[in-house]
Amino acid sequence: MSLSYIRSIGRSIPHLNSAASRCLLSRRFACSTPCSGPWTAVRSLSATARLYADAKLHLPALDSKWRQRWAALPESTHQCTDAAKGKYVLPMFPYPSGYLHLGHLRVYTIADVVARFHSLQGSNVLLPMGWDAFGLPAENAAIERGINPATWTRANIASMKEQLAMMNGSWNWSCELATCDPSFYKHTQKIFLLLQEKGLAYQAEAEVNYDPVDKTVLANEQVDANGFSWRSGAKVEKRKLKQWFLRISEFRESLLQDLEVLAKNDAWPERVLAMQKNWLGKSTGATIKFPLLAFDHDVHAAIEVFTSRPDTLFGVQYLALASTHPVVAKLAEKDPELQAFLDTLPGLPPDSRVGYMLPHIRAVNPLAYHEKTPEATKKSIPVYVAPYVIGDYGEGAVMGVPGHDVRDHAFWKTHHYDEPVRFVLAASEDESTTALQNHPFVDHGIMTEHSGLFKGKSSKETGEMLVAMLEQAGLAQPVEKWRLRDWLISRQRYWGTPIPIVHCDSCGAVPVPDEQLPVLLPEVDEHWAGKKTGNPLEMLEEWVNTSCPKCSGPAKRDTDTMDTFVDSSWYYMRFVDAHNEDAPFSAERVKSLPVDLYIGGIEHAILHLLYARFIYKFLMTSRLVPENGEAKDKTFEPFQRLITQGMVHGRTYVDPSTGKFLRRDEVDLSDPSSPKVVDTGETATVTYEKMSKSKHNGVDPTDVIAQHGADATRAHMLFQAPVSEILDWDGDKIVGVTRWLGRVHEMVRKLGTASADANIPTAKTYFEDKASKLQSMSVDELAQWDADVAVWLDVQRTIASVTASYEKVYPLNTVVSDLMILANAIQEKAAVLSEGVLRQAVSALVRMMAPITPAFSEECWSILGLQPEGRSMFAGEGKVSFPVVDGTLELEMLQPRKQTCAVQVNGKLRAVVEISKPNGLAGDELQDWIVGEILKTDEGSSKLINGTFDVRQAKKVIVIRDGKLVNFVL
């Protein structure tokens, strides 16, 4: 397929659903056109169907043919009027890197398949597409190439749209958006100002994570466990800067409580819910004051520590402070050694065991003032500065309990390896604590002798008593703490949404007036041409210098841009009102929310989903949706159901001698089951791993589609693994899918169209009519009846199974396998089936395949003569309905006429035959009839009369379970 042709498809795609989005969403996106039932009339074979009847199946050609047909559909086929039947299906929008990988192909295939299924069920489906287009990769690429990031980004979007066009998707391009488009980020700025108006966006000086490579601030969530940037890989530095924050902490209770709503009916994966809950990190405990003994130093009288385990208070052996704790800052002013230590901390991992013992202070356990407290607890304890203590969690201080905390234990053993660890609780009252010397006991249990008069009590009860006792003395206070911190959104980069704030010496931080939005990114082509790093906005005086909207005095624009997670926190709301120039969305269109089905990777389980939930909760109670007011008692969640798909891994070849990853041309694949290293002849090691250039295991999905067609690729992608599991991509096995499609196509081709005068009743009507004639049927007629019944019941069972799998989404792989099995069942009996049952079975099969193989199914539908020229089975007057069970599974008359009979001779199994059912016979009459039926069969006559045995000479015949088992005693 030529690139020019692919581009023409890309240009035509936006017309595919253009009317659909303009008429979108008064509440839901329903199509008004009635779905024509496939059996009310049989149309004559069209010229196109005759043309293709004898053609060899060529799937890529079918893709091209039907993509052109879909693009040419009249706009009237997309009109939407019934607002009660809408479905909003949304895959997470992609970053426009310029190419699609198999991970993209998987998530977008899933989304399109589910969308088409719901559409065929009668829902009007919104399946939009957009681009997460801001961010550091584009800016870094621009610097590297010396071009504007907008140029690079738009070129990538155009390229990816061309690739998406090859997937046979049903995207609604008329509501396409890109976050870097001013028409979008204008409203991101409006949302920011709404947040500021409510006190939810604020500036504060804080210690931040600074990426020295990307030269920007990172949120805590964007730094890995070892202190490296998740984007650049650079070691993150700690700096104090004035930054913009969003007060997500105001919504922490609803963010936590509403997880219970999302847990109902498995709407969200349990793993994602757990990750969200852990990130919110609500814990209950107490702040406890440890009085300080300071020697000639003016510091606080006490250090406050938050702990969720007050029951371990007797076991505190040291205190540890964060580097930013006020006591540390005070002491560092006069202690150069301490300051030198603090200077080394940015280069240390957060779990480092290093520490600096403050030489001039000691702390006292508040329990020391009770006369019954053991002497060991009354002793003063050292105070350390330690990198494992987080400055913005709790009080920036922890009480070190080596006997009952893993990190504390490791730290204590590093600095006091020769001093004993104190264990103040154990698993049971009679358990020896000496056996635990090398491992902390971290569970709740029973207090030990080191707990004074609390010995033998439960630790939970003791913890409550200790807090109550210390509270009376003014040394403790019950509190709750959260791990969640306010969202740091300032980024010192160019390629992002400008923060719409002007800083005035007289008026402070002033919002840019609505009529002046958007605050546009200025052109800085010289910056890119010079491949300069840093934020060009800071150096662009003509842009920075402006006038204050309040006092008209001199002012400066804010030169930070917003974290790209701000864009993705609300983009799904923009899709429902993508062309609204005045507001992010209207109160009427937002009734189309929440998203019914959101599909994306587990890697977004914390940041994106948490931020999206926060912004949605805010916006749904903002003045943009006045009918909700300040509704605090309602649950607002943006994604009703969340589907997380597994990653796609590629086949990787490794040289067993060197461990080197091999390119395809370095492997001899003449025998795929035993690949050889070309240079050595050794058998290469084959594994499946995350696709990467370094492992030479990447696969370009457009190459696969060009070779096998989009429909076969889609079906193979789904068939290889359940949606939630890792998919080990094996392109060699796609031939199994293409053979299946070939068999179905051949069956359809042979069937062709019905004659113009054919009068084919529904299957149910056909069976009801024939049932009354069973007694008078000939042997051939009964054989046809049995085949019709068997196939039609298979069809009904498959409809039920496939419908459930489409709705559940995760078992989409079983949809393909069920349809393969049904196709085989129809094909095996096609020669003896009645035309009506055969046609209706094939019709049901094609319609069930349609969501997965849309172009192929359209072709089959036209060959069957069921689609007038210029119509589509997915839209308008030609739109079909997904098959539904017709009740025949429960009909008594369709229960099998035959049954399996196991035949024994003298108690040993000698044959298994199919015989008719006895229909109420009993006693000797049943016995004689059963024997006659057995001997009528080929196997019965060959094995039981003409073989070793002659059961006609049996002394006794024992019939069990109405003839399902018969024993001849000779």
Side-chain angles (χ1 to χ4, degrees):
M1 185 181 296
S2 69
L3 182 59
S4 61
Y5 179 69
I6 296 173
R7 284 177 176 154
S8 72
I9 295 174
R11 287 191 291 271
S12 67
I13 284 296
H15 302 293
L16 182 57
N17 287 316
S18 58
S21 73
R22 287 199 297 272
C23 65
L24 280 180
L25 319 159
S26 53
R27 152 62 186 142
R28 291 284 177 175
F29 332 95
C31 286
S32 59
T33 310
C35 300
S36 54
W39 305 115
T40 55
V42 180
R43 305 176 181 91
S44 61
L45 183 62
S46 67
T48 302
R50 285 195 299 271
L51 177 65
Y52 276 81
D54 298 317
K56 181 181 178 182
L57 178 62
H58 188 264
L59 292 169
L62 290 188
D63 292 340
S64 301
K65 170 186 173 180
W66 285 101
R67 281 200 291 265
Q68 291 182 69
R69 293 280 184 89
W70 293 329
L73 288 174
E75 290 190 355
S76 61
T77 60
H78 305 293
Q79 293 302 312
C80 314
T81 58
D82 185 354
K85 294 184 178 180
K87 278 283 184 185
Y88 186 177
V89 177
L90 181 65
M92 294 180 184
F93 68 165
Y95 172 75
S97 59
Y99 67 95
L100 290 179
H101 52 68
L102 282 177
H104 288 123
L105 180 64
R106 190 179 196 192
V107 68
Y108 300 138
T109 295
I110 294 165
D112 184 62
V113 166
V114 173
R116 288 184 183 275
F117 164 70
H118 286 295
S119 177
L120 294 181
Q121 279 202 318
S123 294
N124 187 30
V125 179
L126 175 63
L127 180 64
M129 180 56 69
W131 311 96
D132 192 8
F134 271 141
L136 283 172
E139 187 165 347
N140 290 342
I143 294 170
E144 181 183 342
R145 293 165 174 79
I147 60 172
N148 192 311
T151 303
W152 188 80
T153 299
R154 290 181 186 123
N156 287 348
I157 288 174
S159 174
M160 291 179 74
K161 283 186 72 171
E162 290 174 355
Q163 293 175 307
L164 277 171
M166 298 178 66
M167 289 178 56
N168 291 351
S170 54
W171 317 111
N172 191 320
W173 287 107
S174 64
C175 51
E176 177 186 9
L177 60 82
T179 58
C180 66
D181 193 313
S183 65
F184 180 87
Y185 71 69
K186 167 185 178 180
H187 299 291
T188 303
Q189 292 172 342
K190 289 192 174 195
I191 291 170
F192 174 89
L193 294 178
L194 277 174
L195 287 158
Q196 195 213 23
E197 178 186 311
K198 291 293 186 179
L200 298 174
Y202 66 94
Q203 256 189 319
E205 188 173 86
E207 183 182 74
V208 296
N209 305 303
Y210 188 80
D211 186 325
V213 172
D214 282 333
K215 297 184 178 178
T216 189
V217 167
L218 303 175
N220 287 336
E221 299 89 339
Q222 295 166 321
V223 181
D224 69 20
N226 295 315
F228 292 94
S229 167
W230 71 287
R231 176 74 72 183
S232 72
K235 185 68 180 179
V236 170
E237 300 172 359
K238 294 291 185 181
R239 294 191 181 182
K240 278 244 179 183
L241 293 174
K242 197 170 187 179
Q243 304 284 286
W244 283 99
F245 293 84
L246 298 185
R247 209 180 298 274
I248 189 175
S249 57
E250 285 289 309
F251 289 76
R252 61 195 182 191
E253 282 291 353
S254 63
L255 287 169
L256 179 61
Q257 292 174 8
D258 291 348
L259 292 177
E260 296 180 10
V261 176
L262 300 176
K264 292 179 180 177
N265 301 316
D266 297 322
W268 278 39
E270 186 177 338
R271 179 183 173 192
V272 174
L273 295 172
M275 293 168 77
Q276 290 266 306
K277 186 174 182 179
N278 290 339
W279 193 258
L280 291 165
K282 182 179 182 180
S283 58
T284 57
T287 54
I288 297 175
K289 292 181 179 179
F290 283 76
L292 287 181
L293 300 175
F295 304 98
D296 298 326
H297 282 76
D298 181 21
V299 293
H300 294 66
I303 290 177
E304 283 197 353
V305 174
F306 170 77
T307 179
S308 59
R309 292 294 303 274
D311 55 325
T312 64
L313 192 53
F314 283 103
V316 177
Q317 294 183 261
Y318 68 94
L319 294 186
L321 307 181
S323 60
T324 55
H325 194 282
V327 167
V328 177
K330 185 77 173 177
L331 292 174
E333 294 174 1
K334 298 180 179 180
D335 187 341
E337 289 187 17
L338 171 57
Q339 186 59 55
F341 173 78
L342 296 178
D343 292 340
T344 68
L345 293 186
L348 296 175
D351 60 348
S352 171
R353 298 179 186 179
V354 302
Y356 182 90
M357 187 170 70
L358 298 174
H360 305 294
I361 61 173
R362 303 277 290 184
V364 177
N365 193 314
L367 296 177
Y369 300 103
H370 195 285
E371 59 181 10
K372 298 291 186 179
T373 295
E375 289 300 318
T377 304
K378 289 183 178 181
K379 294 179 180 179
S380 65
I381 55 177
V383 181
Y384 285 87
V385 182
Y388 80 87
V389 183
I390 302 173
D392 61 352
Y393 180 75
E395 308 300 325
V398 300
M399 58 186 210
V401 189
H404 305 290
D405 183 272
V406 173
R407 289 183 308 171
D408 295 349
H409 188 274
F411 186 87
W412 181 259
K413 283 296 184 182
T414 300
H415 296 274
H416 299 270
Y417 62 90
D418 58 346
E419 294 186 38
V421 172
R422 192 185 315 143
F423 292 90
V424 298
L425 58 137
S428 60
E429 192 170 356
D430 60 350
E431 183 174 340
S432 171
T433 58
T434 56
L436 301 173
Q437 291 298 320
N438 294 323
H439 300 282
F441 178 73
V442 298
D443 298 324
H444 285 283
I446 304 299
M447 305 305 293
T448 69
E449 61 184 356
H450 295 293
S451 302
L453 53 79
F454 294 95
K455 178 185 177 182
K457 294 185 179 296
S458 85
S459 62
K460 287 186 177 181
E461 179 185 356
T462 298
E464 295 171 0
M465 295 171 67
L466 290 176
V467 171
M469 182 178 72
L470 293 175
E471 186 178 13
Q472 290 181 350
L475 294 172
Q477 183 69 39
V479 295
E480 67 178 28
K481 292 288 182 179
W482 295 75
R483 182 171 184 256
L484 179 70
R485 291 290 162 267
D486 282 343
W487 177 9
L488 170 61
I489 66 162
S490 292
R491 298 293 179 269
Q492 292 70 45
R493 297 301 293 238
Y494 169 87
W495 194 234
T497 298
I499 292 177
I501 294 291
V502 168
H503 297 277
C504 172
D505 289 340
S506 301
C507 306
V510 181
V512 173
D514 189 76
E515 63 272 12
Q516 294 181 23
L517 296 179
V519 176
L520 294 170
L521 285 169
E523 295 295 331
V524 288
D525 289 337
E526 291 184 4
H527 181 85
W528 312 120
K531 298 186 177 182
K532 299 175 183 177
T533 59
N535 182 4
L537 298 180
E538 296 174 349
M539 299 170 278
L540 205 65
E541 291 188 7
E542 64 270 26
W543 183 82
V544 172
N545 294 321
T546 185
S547 58
C548 174
K550 274 189 177 182
C551 69
S552 299
K556 293 183 179 294
R557 294 190 187 279
D558 199 304
T559 58
D560 283 350
T561 55
M562 296 186 209
D563 180 6
T564 55
F565 278 115
V566 179
D567 305 316
S568 60
S569 70
W570 78 280
Y571 80 104
Y572 52 92
M573 303 184 79
R574 183 64 177 173
F575 277 133
V576 305
D577 202 3
H579 305 291
N580 190 330
E581 295 182 4
D582 299 323
F585 46 79
S586 69
E588 183 61 28
R589 292 288 179 90
V590 84
K591 292 177 182 177
S592 303
L593 296 168
V595 175
D596 292 285
L597 193 68
Y598 196 39
I599 307 166
I602 193 73
E603 64 271 20
H604 300 295
I606 295 177
L607 299 186
H608 164 57
L609 291 176
L610 188 67
Y611 296 153
R613 294 177 63 218
F614 156 54
I615 293 296
Y616 184 77
K617 288 175 184 296
F618 165 70
L619 290 175
M620 291 300 285
T621 54
S622 72
R623 54 183 166 83
L624 294 178
V625 193
E627 64 186 68
N628 289 335
E630 297 290 331
K632 300 296 184 184
D633 57 336
K634 292 183 181 179
T635 298
F636 295 108
E637 286 291 338
F639 312 120
Q640 193 166 15
R641 189 172 174 217
L642 175 68
I643 299 294
T644 53
Q645 89 283 352
M647 296 181 67
V648 181
H649 286 185
R651 184 187 292 160
T652 309
Y653 298 99
V654 179
D655 187 329
S657 299
T658 64
K660 172 189 172 185
F661 292 106
L662 302 172
R663 300 189 306 273
R664 290 295 189 272
D665 61 359
E666 296 177 311
V667 185
D668 178 1
L669 295 173
S670 54
D671 180 3
S673 64
S674 181
K676 305 292 185 184
V677 181
V678 171
D679 289 344
T680 64
E682 287 188 87
T683 301
T685 302
V686 180
T687 60
Y688 283 90
E689 300 185 43
K690 183 179 178 180
M691 291 185 179
S692 69
K693 291 180 182 179
S694 63
K695 295 176 182 176
H696 311 297
N697 64 345
V699 176
D700 186 341
T702 55
D703 290 343
V704 181
I705 290 172
Q707 180 180 358
H708 299 286
D711 286 355
T713 305
R714 287 159 60 110
H716 181 60
M717 175 68 74
L718 296 178
F719 183 48
Q720 278 198 285
V723 165
S724 61
E725 295 183 9
I726 289 174
L727 189 159
D728 291 334
W729 177 260
D730 188 346
D732 296 338
K733 293 181 179 178
I734 200 171
V735 294
V737 170
T738 57
R739 289 195 192 105
W740 166 53
L741 297 179
R743 289 194 300 272
V744 174
H745 183 262
E746 179 66 11
M747 185 163 54
V748 168
R749 189 190 66 78
K750 288 180 178 178
L751 185 58
T753 188
S755 59
D757 58 352
N759 183 19
I760 301 175
T762 66
K764 190 173 183 180
T765 301
Y766 164 79
F767 286 121
E768 288 172 342
D769 179 60
K770 286 286 187 179
S772 61
K773 305 172 185 176
L774 276 176
Q775 301 304 320
S776 59
M777 284 184 183
S778 66
V779 172
D780 289 344
E781 289 173 328
L782 286 171
Q784 186 181 71
W785 167 270
D786 290 339
D788 284 344
V789 169
V791 166
W792 192 247
L793 294 183
D794 282 343
V795 169
Q796 295 300 295
R797 282 188 286 265
T798 304
I799 291 172
S801 173
V802 161
T803 300
S805 295
Y806 273 129
E807 289 173 343
K808 292 176 182 175
V809 183
Y810 285 114
L812 283 177
N813 59 311
T814 65
V815 172
V816 180
S817 59
D818 284 348
L819 294 176
M820 286 178 171
I821 293 168
L822 178 61
N824 290 340
I826 297 172
Q827 188 177 34
E828 287 173 6
K829 295 184 171 65
V832 295
L833 290 174
S834 63
E835 182 180 1
V837 170
L838 177 58
R839 286 191 172 279
Q840 294 182 61
V842 171
S843 162
L845 174 64
V846 171
R847 285 180 288 151
M848 285 188 280
M849 292 174 66
I852 297 173
T853 57
F856 174 82
S857 299
E858 290 267 34
E859 182 70 10
C860 291
W861 203 246
S862 66
I863 292 173
L864 291 171
L866 298 168
Q867 197 65 271
E869 185 71 23
R871 301 273 177 84
S872 168
M873 64 190 299
F874 293 103
E877 294 180 2
K879 185 176 180 181
V880 303
S881 58
F882 196 84
V884 295
V885 292
D886 61 4
T888 49
L889 279 171
E890 290 76 38
L891 292 178
E892 181 64 31
M893 63 182 175
L894 293 192
Q895 298 310 304
R897 283 191 323 106
K898 293 184 176 291
Q899 67 181 30
T900 300
C901 175
V903 184
Q904 294 179 343
V905 177
N906 293 335
K908 291 186 177 181
L909 183 67
R910 299 299 181 181
V912 177
V913 298
E914 291 289 318
I915 63 173
S916 299
K917 288 190 173 183
N919 293 327
L921 298 177
D924 292 340
E925 190 177 7
L926 172 62
Q927 177 178 306
D928 294 341
W929 185 85
I930 289 287
V931 172
E933 288 294 307
I934 291 172
L935 298 182
K936 281 182 188 177
T937 65
D938 292 340
E939 189 174 9
S941 60
S942 63
K943 289 185 177 181
L944 305 175
I945 298 178
N946 302 320
T948 307
F949 313 103
D950 185 352
V951 297
R952 292 173 298 182
Q953 308 302 319
K955 298 176 183 177
K956 188 176 182 180
V957 179
I958 303 171
V959 178
I960 302 171
R961 288 186 297 157
D962 288 334
K964 291 185 176 65
L965 175 63
V966 177
N967 184 22
F968 292 93
V969 181
L970 298 179

